[in-house]
Amino acid sequence: GLAERLQGTLDKIRGKGKVTEADVKEMMREVRLALLEADVNFKVVKQFVNRVKERAVGQEVMKSLTPGQQVIKVVNDELKELMGGEQSKINVADKPPTVVMMVGLQGAGKTTTTAKLANHLRKDHNRKPLLVGADVYRPAAIDQLETLGKQLDMPVFSLGTEANPVDIAKQAMEEAKANHNDYVIIDTAGRLHVDEELMEELENIKAVTEPEEVLLVVDAMTGQDAVNVADSFNNQLDLSGVVMTKLDGDTRGGAAISIKAVTDTPIKFAGMGEKIDALEPFHPDRMASRILGMGDVLSLIEKAQTDVDEEKAKELERKMRSNDMTFDDFLEQLSQVKKMGPLDEILGMMPGANKMKGLKNAKVDDKQLAHIEAIIRSMTKEERDNPSVLNGSRKKRIARGSGTSVPEVNRLLKQFNEMKKMMKQMSSMQKGKKKGGGLN
Ligand code: GDP
Ligand code: MG
């Protein structure tokens, strides 16, 4: 991945007091390779590297930064600019309802994102959306949306699979006006590939509903293909924004980096999982930091604050930054973390988490969480405070007591150690920040 690739060079340069032109050159070589490896469009890579070189070499060093930090900052800033700079918000029509048309290829995540967006609009903006099922081709597409609508307790408008999608859209507008819905989110059909017929249908829906937003839903895991798809949809439909889904599974970040540069269309939201609340406004600065492997403390803390009450969030934050945590702290954290969502999602936002082999691909599900809890609860106080006393026979006892196995106990110990290492890294980064030396 990009982060791993850059980490070595960044680590080297981070410790330096002075950066030479040769350092910048070497670093840019790594950056270039890393971006190409991450499947970033080659034209974008070329422009990017040139811009960073221009800015990094011969620049006056800021007082609060070391030269090494400054180069990293330039890379970070330019990555952020490449992805649109500021956060792009969702448009609101002058006269309600605001129509949002979701378009994209089959399987990209349109239907899921329709529901996620509706949930977000109601939860964070107090809106009253109407969902519209206009995918009449894919079997069960309307059922899928109706199920999601029930789950959210939100109205879904559809006319069955025999109706014409343009008629559905037209009637949905009247329905929304009658019921005072302030947003209309239209889930349209997709194909496996871009084709004329699909585009014509989408153009017609667009013509009758005059949407404020035409959002292309693309699968981040498809890399450069996502960028090509965005380009063709944009040419036909004049997109207002992109929703990048499955960023939770994308380790390369190539599509996120190139899409704005190639199509001049901002990414507005990021899909971070299959659950209905796994949608986040897209923040270019945070994404840049995440790609660079600096983690995303901001997102993490924000998430913690919405899901856990303020005081507990502060406590959690403190614990995460202290590097002397015990298994008891870990246990306490687990119960907080469980409220925040899937653990692997949370870990992905932590600085250095991408470097942790043991955790990187660990899909931690509820069952595993229950095992972890059971293992820790089977430890004595001494063992929780000081895991280094855990020898073979103690581990066997714990495995038996928790109904797990010795390999499982070992795995938890390893993850715990990795996590402690990470906490240390995080706290030293925070110290740097306080001195004004960190990245924004
Ligand atoms: P559509 O054909 O474009 O309507 O796609 P769907 O909404 O039916 O989604 C296709 C699959 O992708 C489903 O299994 C979704 O659960 C999954 N999916 C959608 N968004 C995300 C995401 O952000 N992350 C992950 N991991 N899966 C997603
Ligand atoms: Mg669908």
Side-chain angles (χ1 to χ4, degrees):
L2 178 54
E4 284 90 344
R5 175 112 208 181
L6 285 180
Q7 208 67 54
T9 322
L10 290 179
D11 285 346
K12 217 168 11 168
I13 214 163
R14 189 176 282 135
K16 284 207 174 190
K18 196 178 171 209
V19 177
T20 64
E21 205 172 321
D23 285 330
V24 174
K25 238 183 166 169
E26 188 198 327
M27 189 162 158
M28 285 312 109
R29 194 164 46 230
E30 284 300 313
V31 169
R32 208 180 124 261
L33 286 173
L35 292 172
L36 288 172
E37 231 170 55
D39 204 14
V40 178
N41 179 287
F42 76 95
K43 279 188 201 150
V44 175
V45 174
K46 201 167 159 193
Q47 276 172 17
F48 179 80
V49 169
N50 285 339
R51 282 187 61 103
V52 173
K53 257 193 205 155
E54 230 167 72
R55 278 193 54 195
V57 178
Q59 195 190 37
E60 221 181 291
V61 176
M62 274 185 260
K63 274 213 183 78
S64 58
L65 300 182
T66 68
Q69 285 170 329
Q70 185 146 332
V71 176
I72 297 168
K73 184 168 168 14
V74 171
V75 172
N76 187 69
D77 288 352
E78 288 296 327
L79 266 180
K80 173 183 151 189
E81 281 311 310
L82 203 54
M83 290 184 285
E86 297 307 314
Q87 186 202 345
S88 298
K89 303 204 165 136
I90 190 159
N91 298 328
V92 185
D94 293 333
K95 210 172 124 243
T98 302
V99 179
V100 181
M101 213 177 132
M102 311 297 277
V103 302
L105 295 184
Q106 214 168 75
K110 288 178 300 300
T111 307
T112 313
T113 306
T114 299
K116 284 179 176 178
L117 182 61
N119 178 48
H120 167 77
L121 287 169
R122 181 174 63 186
K123 198 166 132 234
D124 294 355
H125 302 285
N126 214 9
R127 301 287 173 160
K128 202 182 149 201
L130 175 68
L131 311 182
V132 183
D135 178 359
V136 297
Y137 308 104
R138 202 178 188 185
I142 293 175
D143 289 348
Q144 186 190 352
L145 191 65
E146 270 168 0
T147 305
L148 290 164
K150 270 204 198 94
Q151 199 181 323
L152 287 169
D153 194 20
M154 261 188 214
V156 175
F157 182 85
S158 77
L159 296 172
T161 52
E162 299 299 316
N164 176 318
V166 180
D167 291 338
I168 297 174
K170 223 188 288 179
Q171 291 193 36
M173 296 300 295
E174 278 156 34
E175 174 89 1
K177 275 172 202 147
N179 292 326
H180 306 289
N181 294 110
D182 46 17
Y183 268 84
V184 175
I185 312 178
I186 308 173
D187 179 31
T188 67
R191 300 278 154 88
L192 289 175
H193 305 281
V194 176
D195 75 44
E196 287 280 314
E197 205 188 354
L198 170 68
M199 287 302 175
E200 206 179 300
E201 178 179 307
L202 295 175
E203 276 167 3
N204 290 337
I205 295 176
K206 187 178 175 188
V208 299
T209 59
E210 297 179 357
E212 208 63 38
E213 291 275 3
V214 181
L215 294 180
L216 174 72
V217 179
V218 285
D219 178 343
M221 309 238 285
T222 60
Q224 204 50 43
D225 278 345
V227 180
N228 296 333
V229 166
D231 205 29
S232 14
F233 270 86
N234 191 39
N235 289 336
Q236 298 268 351
L237 290 168
D238 193 16
L239 302 171
S240 62
V242 171
V243 179
M244 189 144 287
T245 62
K246 309 185 197 181
L247 265 177
D248 49 312
D250 177 48
T251 52
R252 300 188 300 172
I257 296 171
S258 352
I259 228 157
K260 170 74 168 64
V262 173
T263 65
D264 199 28
T265 306
I267 302 175
K268 295 200 171 178
F269 290 94
M272 302 300 297
E274 297 197 52
K275 292 209 180 121
I276 225 154
D277 61 354
L279 183 78
E280 297 173 3
F282 183 82
H283 296 279
D285 52 344
R286 297 180 192 176
M287 188 64 192
S289 307
R290 196 179 296 183
I291 287 168
L292 273 176
M294 310 299 285
D296 195 344
V297 184
L298 276 180
S299 283
L300 183 68
I301 290 169
E302 196 176 81
K303 202 162 165 42
Q305 274 169 347
T306 57
D307 294 354
V308 185
D309 60 88
E310 193 105 6
E311 214 170 291
K312 285 205 174 131
K314 275 206 192 100
E315 180 67 5
L316 176 66
E317 196 188 331
R318 188 190 65 73
K319 289 230 151 112
M320 285 189 163
R321 282 181 190 158
S322 76
N323 52 14
D324 53 3
M325 66 167 199
T326 68
F327 265 118
D328 272 324
D329 296 327
F330 188 61
L331 201 57
E332 205 183 306
Q333 272 185 37
L334 269 187
S335 69
Q336 295 300 327
V337 166
K338 265 198 287 194
K339 287 190 205 154
M340 291 160 65
L343 195 52
D344 47 346
E345 209 174 278
I346 308 285
L347 289 172
M349 289 190 264
M350 287 185 180
N354 61 341
K355 282 166 92 187
M356 293 157 50
K357 299 241 156 39
L359 279 173
K360 191 169 66 176
N361 298 314
K363 284 265 175 225
V364 184
D365 58 27
D366 290 344
K367 207 173 121 201
Q368 274 171 288
L369 276 186
H371 279 193
I372 289 174
E373 268 192 65
I375 291 171
I376 298 175
R377 292 199 189 285
S378 296
M379 291 179 188
T380 63
K381 176 89 181 106
E382 185 201 4
E383 289 162 349
R384 289 185 202 185
D385 289 343
N386 183 17
S388 65
V389 302
L390 288 170
N391 57 18
S393 69
R394 281 174 188 256
K395 285 178 190 168
K396 238 184 260 167
R397 193 204 78 239
I398 290 166
R400 222 175 13 239
S402 58
T404 60
S405 63
V406 173
E408 260 180 294
V409 174
N410 281 330
R411 190 158 60 231
L412 175 62
L413 283 173
K414 200 169 150 227
Q415 288 183 342
F416 182 70
N417 284 333
E418 298 266 19
M419 186 173 283
K420 273 180 92 165
K421 247 188 268 162
M422 184 179 78
M423 299 298 165
K424 209 176 249 171
Q425 212 176 18
M426 203 159 149
S427 78
S428 64
M429 202 178 84
Q430 283 309 119
K431 274 177 215 141
K433 219 174 213 169
K434 277 190 202 104
K435 276 186 281 173
L439 293 169
N440 54 351

